[in-house]
Amino acid sequence: MSFEPKIVGILCNWCSYTGADLAGTSRKKYAPNVRVVRVMCSGRVEPTFILKAFQQGADGVLICGCHPGDCHYQDGNKKTARRIPLLKKMLAQFGIEDERVRLEWVSASEGDRFAAIVDEMTEQVRKLGPFSGNGEQPVGKG
Amino acid sequence: MMEPKIGVYICHCGSNIAGVVDCAKVTEYARGLPKVAVARDYKYMCSDPGQNLIKEDIKNLGLNRVVVASCSPRMHEPTFRRVCQEAGLNQYLFEMANVREQCSWVHTDKAMATEKAKALVSAAVRRVYYQEPLETKEAAVNPATLVIGGGVAGIQAALEIADAGHKVYLLEKDASIGGHMAMFDKTFPTLDCAACILTPKMTSVGQNKNIELMAYSELVELSGYIGNFKAKIRKKARYIDTVKCTGCGRCSELCPTSVPNEFDCGLGNRKAIYIPSPYAVPNKAIIDAKNCRHIKGLAEGKDVCRLCEKGIEKKGQPGCEAGAIDFSQKDEIKEIEIGNIIVATGFQQFNPTTIYQLGYGRLNNVLTGLEFERLTNASGPTGGKVTLKDGSEPKSIAILHCIGSRDTNYHKYCSRVCCMYSLKFAHLLREKLPEAAVYQLYIDMRCAGSGYEEFYERLQEEGVNFIRGKGGEVTDIAEKPEEKGKLVVMVEDTLVRRKRRLAVDMVILSCALEPRADTEQLARILTLSRKADGFLLEKHPKLDPVATTTDGIYIAGCCQSPKDIPDTVAQASAAAARVLALISKGKVEIEGAIAFIDEERCSGCKICIDLCPYKAIGYDEVKKVSRVNEALCKGCGTCVAACPAGAIKGRHFTSEEIMAEIEGALA
């Protein structure tokens, strides 16, 4: 059996979660590897959530929010846009590959885009192989 | 905290979920999760028997937490929250797992989909464990309403609310209300005169004591929440004291500056000081600052013209006798408080200059649909005579459908009204110019609506030539002697399977309806979402086409999608009904999921205060701690994520809850 990555998706309620729902209502098919956790705003995403996900065995974390300027709460996504790159710098020092954490803007009408992002990220993480907490790549992939 | 006792309910949603997800397996799995007292699956959880199943279990088994795995919480979370409440359980002790929109509908591999469904249920179960009962608060609803847009949708909505006895602010960006409909000549399929049916409504708006008409104004800022919004409105300088102006029009006669008239799509002229249309409401003059000689002169420090004000003494023509002209006027910002908002901002016509080969803007006598409306309108630049640029009557006219619509290069969607208004044009042409040949170049005829197909049949009998094929190009290069001096339309007639060159005198482009250019900006001010085509997004395309994702803001008319006048009016009435329902209820429930600051842990660093987009966090100078104003907090959680002391709790989205959900999703 090939390695099936587990990816945690943290989606804002207004744009991205609605966009993911739209992918559903339009029956767009995509990889079943992302499990979505809903927050009201991507600005609620604490860096520790992402660390927690890796600690619990996630192979990747996808954070989605409204496009810049479209935030339901004016500019919560701008805060995320600053926090995630900072976190990524730290993760790099731990040897966590850049592709394992992804921040994307998905609007309520972008069901197709959400599906495409999930497919793309799933493949990228699949190539990287399972995440190992000690920063070393496990032998063999899956 | 009472020991959690969780009930888990897996919905089949007919075959929507059960067709892909093995619901029995998921139920079996849920039974084994910690603190789960009962797990059941059922065909339709949202049905009455499904709801009763939950209620009975809450009562009989003493459940104090409920998880339903079914559709999106955006669909049925309110339903199941109510079910819990009815059984005496606080609604915040309920959690939903989205195994339809985000699982069964998007995956084909049944085993993988079932695994994912299990993970989603496990996430919800772990999350609900930490959930706490919360109180919702009630706030009074301000009975005043803001209607944005003074077209037929806005007028209809405003009148219905005002007639019910409530205050309405009707905001219009232009100097007069009326919108596109006021520019039309006749309306399909009844051929009612647009002005005859609209102007009485416009006048009623002007006379209604409950309506405060804010013409030549725009929305700049919005704050607050359903029931209690605050809007900042810019009243643009009109340079006219509207109280004094009587609308006599003398000023226009005196004005020496003539510029193209927007109301006539530039086909006719108006003065720099003018009354926007013959049936303008408010019937007041306005000065076009860009073209007024005096205002332009002021910028250079010169005092010129002012003929409208002073008159022409030599000729014995007095200026404005009402003394209404006020060159010193400035834009004003006005703040209003309202409980609900209806957005009815309409559309703009697709600009066909971008399709170079159609010759619009390059070749004479190629008109847009809206231009033709003005040309054929009795109040238009020619008094309703359909003429060519040189003043002669056209002997042949081609009407090209789907310009900018149903075209992957421009707009994919069908604009819905063009077939019908093209038929109307053909009818008007046959009536006014019985000798002229009229061609309709169409892809498909779309005549769905009451009396619409019948109108199409009538037009076929009236001797209009229907050619099935899209007009691809318009040129003035003649290949044959009979094409000389004519416009040649290239079309592939798909019924006879032949390319044709159609030599005509006039071409009318039935242009698409598209989102207004300022829709994006408006959507940002109102925090509304837009669809992929740029129109405003409704809350639900089928079940809630009038509401938006922001509570208390409704949409009506073409700002949502292209529609005809009957549909626009129906939606406007629906929006008004929604607003009236809330006004009569008189109160709104305020979401309990807001931020809370633990004063013991707060160090008073004030980071949260600057982060809050709603200025909902204040600082207690005595205790040296930050404090959340519950009426202003919208629960975004930005401050929660930023607090270095972890002193802020985002109720219903606490770190504990989210962490547990992540843990569950990966279990």
Side-chain angles (χ1 to χ4, degrees), chain B residues 515-531:
Chain B
R516 291 179 48 80
D518 54 10
T519 309
E520 186 178 356
Q521 193 196 346
L522 181 76
R524 281 182 184 178
I525 295 175
L526 298 172
T527 61
L528 300 180
S529 296
R530 293 188 305 147
K531 294 181 261 205

Side-chain angles (χ1 to χ4, degrees), chain B residues 57-373:
Chain B
D57 281 354
I58 293 174
K59 284 176 196 154
N60 300 337
L61 305 174
L63 299 181
N64 54 19
R65 299 282 191 285
V66 171
V67 169
V68 173
S70 58
C71 48
S72 168
R74 296 179 56 255
M75 181 87 197
H76 270 312
E77 189 176 61
T79 312
F80 294 115
R81 277 186 168 186
R82 185 181 41 76
V83 167
C84 290
Q85 261 178 329
E86 282 170 4
L89 189 65
N90 185 281
Q91 58 171 336
Y92 289 96
L93 297 174
F94 165 78
E95 181 60 17
M96 220 160 159
N98 184 347
V99 296
R100 192 179 76 173
E101 279 85 342
Q102 297 187 8
C103 189
S104 71
W105 276 353
V106 287
H107 306 316
T108 40
D109 184 319
K110 292 185 180 179
M112 296 269 288
T114 305
E115 283 310 303
K116 180 169 167 181
K118 282 185 191 170
L120 293 174
V121 168
S122 141
V125 167
R126 292 194 195 219
R127 184 193 206 282
V128 86
Y129 179 95
Y130 291 101
Q131 279 171 218
E132 295 164 321
L134 297 178
E135 272 176 47
T136 51
K137 292 205 169 105
E138 277 180 354
V141 172
N142 185 326
T145 304
L146 170 65
V147 176
I148 308 172
V152 63
I155 289 173
Q156 178 76 14
L159 283 174
E160 292 210 11
I161 298 168
D163 285 345
H166 302 291
K167 171 96 184 173
V168 176
Y169 297 94
L170 179 58
L171 192 63
E172 168 57 52
K173 66 168 183 7
D174 287 336
S176 165
I177 57 168
H180 280 104
M181 188 174 168
M183 297 165 82
F184 299 165
D185 182 28
K186 300 282 193 298
T187 57
F188 60 76
T190 48
L191 301 170
D192 286 296
C193 149
C196 310
I197 52 179
L198 183 67
T199 49
K201 279 184 180 285
M202 290 166 65
T203 317
S204 305
V205 166
Q207 292 169 345
N208 198 308
K209 291 205 163 53
N210 286 327
I211 299 180
E212 184 171 334
L213 179 55
M214 303 171 101
Y216 208 48
S217 303
E218 52 194 21
L219 178 69
V220 284
E221 208 180 295
L222 184 78
S223 59
Y225 53 93
I226 179 171
N228 297 279
F229 291 108
K230 269 193 192 127
K232 262 190 198 163
I233 285 158
R234 178 185 295 119
K235 285 186 99 165
K236 294 178 276 187
R238 197 177 171 120
Y239 304 103
I240 298 290
D241 182 336
T242 48
V243 178
K244 289 182 184 162
C245 176
T246 60
C248 70
R250 188 200 299 279
C251 51
S252 297
E253 289 164 23
L254 293 165
C255 179
T257 310
S258 201
V259 290
N261 186 354
E262 301 83 358
F263 189 70
D264 284 335
C265 300
L267 296 178
N269 285 335
R270 62 159 172 83
K271 296 298 184 59
I273 180 165
Y274 64 107
I275 292 175
S277 84
Y279 18 80
V281 173
N283 185 23
K284 308 282 176 189
I286 175 169
I287 295 178
D288 165 5
K290 270 194 203 124
N291 290 300
C292 169
R293 295 176 194 212
H294 180 67
I295 294 175
K296 283 200 289 187
L298 284 180
E300 295 160 20
K302 285 183 254 171
D303 181 11
V304 288
C305 193
R306 277 170 57 201
L307 291 182
C308 52
E309 196 181 13
K310 297 187 297 196
I312 306 171
E313 222 171 292
K314 270 188 261 172
K315 292 185 186 170
Q317 294 173 334
C320 178
E321 287 171 323
I325 297 165
D326 176 7
F327 288 109
S328 66
Q329 240 178 39
K330 296 257 157 19
D331 287 6
E332 275 173 53
I333 298 285
K334 190 175 167 167
E335 271 193 54
I336 57 169
E337 291 184 2
I338 61 263
N340 290 282
I341 297 168
I342 294 175
V343 184
T345 47
F347 66 96
Q348 68 183 31
Q349 182 183 247
F350 170 75
N351 180 355
T353 38
T354 50
I355 313 181
Y356 181 81
Q357 64 272 25
L358 291 178
Y360 179 77
R362 267 188 313 125
L363 303 175
N364 279 335
N365 302 313
V366 179
L367 304 176
T368 66
L370 215 47
E371 283 171 344
F372 183 75
E373 291 281 1

Side-chain angles (χ1 to χ4, degrees), chain A residues 86-120:
Chain A
L86 272 177
L87 175 74
K88 279 192 157 195
K89 276 192 177 169
M90 193 182 89
L91 293 178
Q93 291 168 22
F94 290 160
I96 298 178
E97 298 87 340
D98 191 59
E99 294 92 329
R100 291 200 192 269
V101 177
R102 191 161 166 172
L103 173 64
E104 289 284 354
W105 311 128
V106 175
S107 84
S109 62
E110 292 177 329
D112 288 1
R113 191 174 132 77
F114 177 74
I117 289 168
V118 169
D119 278 343
E120 192 184 287

